[in-house]
Amino acid sequence: MRIFASLSLAVLALALLPAASQTPAAPQVAPKAQLAAQTPPMGWNSWNYFFDKVTDKNIRDSADQIVATGMKDAGYIYVNIDDTWEGERDANGVLHSNAKFPDMKALADYVHSKGLKIGIYSSPGPKTCAGYEGSLDHEAQDAQLYASWGIDYLKYDLCSFIPAVMMKQAPNDHAEQMRIMWAAYDKMDKALKATGRPIVFSFCQYGWDAVWEWAPQVGGNLWRTTGDIQPYWDRIYAIASQQAGLESYSGPGHWNDPDMLEVGNGKLTLAENRSHFSWWAILAAPLLAGNDLPNMKPEIKAILTNRDVIAIDQDPLGRQGARAYSEGEVEVWTRPLSGGALAIAVFNVGDNRYSTHPFHLNLARLGLHGPQSGKDLWTGKFITLTNDQPLELPSHDVLLVRVDELKANVR
Ligand code: GLA
């Protein structure tokens, strides 16, 4: 039930998304130093597999598996507890965890003992999306509590703040509602910074009010750009295509977040899992796995730990990729990489599993001239792409190539 409540709030927020032309100007706040998250955060989050059932044991088991599977060595560092860890406040307002999480400090110590970092979740509202205790009017106290436990990452989810504060305080004034929302994120940012502990600050407000335009000014290291992901191709593709045009807002310390990974969840095919992971790498997206790590199949592990694809995501230049062009049911995206390299991703987004969409890649439309040699990151083989080369891609699959020595267009 609580999950349905959470989803309907996210839907409500999306329904309220203003058109770009109605977006009020971002507040004039001086940019803050962004030292955290110089590359998109990588790790694992409990929500996409466990939802409200997550327990202390699931977090410990997942931390163990991140180490045992080689995910830690591949760069997955944050182990993030999502919603439903929260208990009640005591007479002094101090929040306690619920029975599923008997000792948060001991849990954080355990995760740290594995060489990993730990994240937590809250809301600026009175309640979280799943109906647990939020941080409203307890921001400084909660930030201090997280720091005392050794928390390294906070996901802050708007949810009940919309009806309980924004709608209530400014029922008919959209601009004022937005100001109240900015202030809520700014308040928690100040509370986190006051702890003196570096804590990555993740905004979750579903992309409302062009969050990418103002989040860095109020401390956001990453911000969700859409409503919730689900383990279905249509949803993953819809989210991926909504990222086109947001590339200029992302960079070291401040990232667009198209939501956590569904790789290995639901009934996604291997091609869909590959495409999802490739797309998130092209987008310089945070890579927060959300699958059942103790029961991860080898082929899913192979996707999540593909070092070449992770290197695209984590490229130190920190430039998000963009859609170069689309033609029929094929989309071609590119991402500029450090050292003058380029990642090229060709996606067959068509649903017809009997059609491989014979497709002719137009290198000139990517600003390239002549044949380009590079590594196919899913086969590991070196290939040469030529202009108008016919490509055959199964439905929902991807060709992801890294070209290190580009022959640029002479135009
Ligand atoms: C919202 C968020 C999800 C998750 C749930 C938890 O729906 O968008 O990512 O955190 O809340 O209740």
Side-chain angles (χ1 to χ4, degrees):
M1 280 303 117
R2 282 174 158 161
I3 294 169
F4 290 126
S6 116
L7 286 178
S8 55
L9 266 172
V11 170
L12 168 73
L14 280 179
L16 294 169
L17 276 173
S21 57
Q22 297 171 315
T23 303
Q28 298 299 305
V29 192
K32 293 175 182 167
Q34 301 285 354
L35 297 173
Q38 287 301 292
T39 58
M42 288 180 67
W44 176 89
N45 173 295
S46 59
W47 187 255
N48 282 354
Y49 181 75
F50 289 106
F51 297 99
D52 57 342
K53 304 282 183 294
V54 65
T55 64
D56 174 287
K57 182 173 186 320
N58 299 143
I59 300 296
R60 287 172 193 253
D61 290 350
S62 301
D64 291 348
Q65 289 303 313
I66 286 172
V67 176
T69 57
M71 287 177 70
K72 179 188 167 199
D73 290 341
Y76 294 84
I77 292 298
Y78 291 97
V79 181
N80 292 351
I81 311 166
D82 207 278
D83 202 353
T84 79
W85 64 269
E86 310 88 341
E88 305 294 325
R89 291 189 189 277
D90 64 22
N92 297 318
V94 177
L95 183 60
H96 295 265
S97 49
N98 61 41
K100 296 190 296 152
F101 290 88
D103 187 338
M104 294 299 270
K105 175 80 172 74
L107 178 56
D109 288 348
Y110 184 80
V111 171
H112 287 149
S113 76
K114 304 270 157 189
L116 300 168
K117 293 177 186 276
I118 186 162
I120 211 166
Y121 167 101
S122 190
S123 170
K127 296 286 173 199
T128 66
C129 283
Y132 287 70
E133 193 65 19
S135 291
L136 182 65
D137 297 332
H138 294 275
E139 294 82 358
Q141 198 172 25
D142 286 358
Q144 293 294 340
L145 181 69
Y146 306 150
S148 76
W149 287 340
I151 296 295
D152 306 294
Y153 183 120
L154 173 67
K155 172 174 169 183
Y156 208 41
D157 193 345
L158 194 62
C159 256
S160 71
F161 192 76
I162 303 169
V165 182
M166 290 159 59
M167 301 291 199
K168 209 175 232 169
Q169 288 185 9
N172 300 310
D173 186 344
H174 177 75
E176 180 59 9
Q177 288 172 9
M178 296 303 105
R179 202 201 58 73
I180 294 168
M181 177 175 62
W182 299 325
Y185 279 90
D186 191 39
K187 187 172 191 181
M188 184 49 102
D189 178 52
K190 291 198 167 87
L192 293 175
K193 292 210 165 68
T195 68
R197 185 175 174 84
I199 297 177
V200 170
F201 196 16
S202 157
F203 290 16
C204 179
Q205 44 80 282
Y206 337 109
W208 207 0
D209 195 37
V211 60
W212 40 87
E213 288 180 355
W214 54 269
Q217 274 71 44
V218 285
N221 294 120
L222 61 155
W223 49 84
R224 282 271 299 278
T225 54
T226 66
D228 289 12
I229 198 167
Q230 290 170 324
Y232 305 106
W233 172 256
D234 288 354
R235 183 66 190 136
I236 289 166
Y237 171 49
I239 288 182
S241 53
Q242 281 176 53
Q243 309 310 305
L246 299 185
E247 48 276 359
S248 64
Y249 296 99
S250 196
H254 52 100
W255 307 101
N256 288 312
D257 174 10
D259 208 354
M260 305 169 296
L261 293 167
E262 292 282 15
V263 173
N265 284 341
K267 295 199 169 101
L268 292 173
T269 64
L270 274 186
E272 290 167 346
N273 281 310
R274 262 194 304 270
S275 288
H276 176 20
F277 199 62
S278 304
W279 221 321
W280 265 231
I282 288 284
L283 293 170
L287 296 182
L288 294 170
N291 56 325
D292 179 14
L293 296 181
N295 296 303
M296 176 162 58
K297 295 195 176 118
E299 57 271 28
I300 296 301
K301 180 175 109 174
I303 291 174
L304 287 172
T305 56
N306 182 316
R307 300 285 184 114
D308 288 330
V309 182
I310 291 172
I312 303 289
D313 182 78
Q314 296 287 300
D315 185 81
L317 194 59
R319 281 185 62 189
Q320 178 174 326
R323 182 192 276 137
Y325 72 101
S326 57
E327 194 177 294
E329 292 181 316
V330 175
E331 297 214 6
V332 185
W333 289 60
T334 57
R335 178 172 174 189
L337 305 170
S338 52
L342 186 74
I344 303 171
V346 184
F347 299 94
N348 175 354
V349 299
D351 294 329
N352 184 345
R353 62 197 166 100
Y354 301 109
S355 163
T356 53
H357 282 278
F359 169 74
H360 295 265
L361 181 63
N362 186 331
L363 292 175
R365 291 183 78 175
L366 309 184
L368 301 174
H369 181 67
Q372 308 285 332
S373 298
K375 187 172 179 186
D376 176 334
L377 302 187
W378 288 114
T379 63
K381 294 194 176 125
F382 283 86
I383 60 168
T384 299
L385 297 170
T386 54
N387 204 32
D388 279 334
Q389 176 176 355
L391 296 176
E392 303 255 331
L393 272 179
S395 166
H396 302 177
D397 212 340
V398 61
L399 171 71
L400 179 62
V401 179
R402 179 191 179 106
V403 180
D404 279 304
E405 288 179 32
L406 279 181
K407 290 176 205 133
N409 202 324
V410 283
R411 274 183 307 176

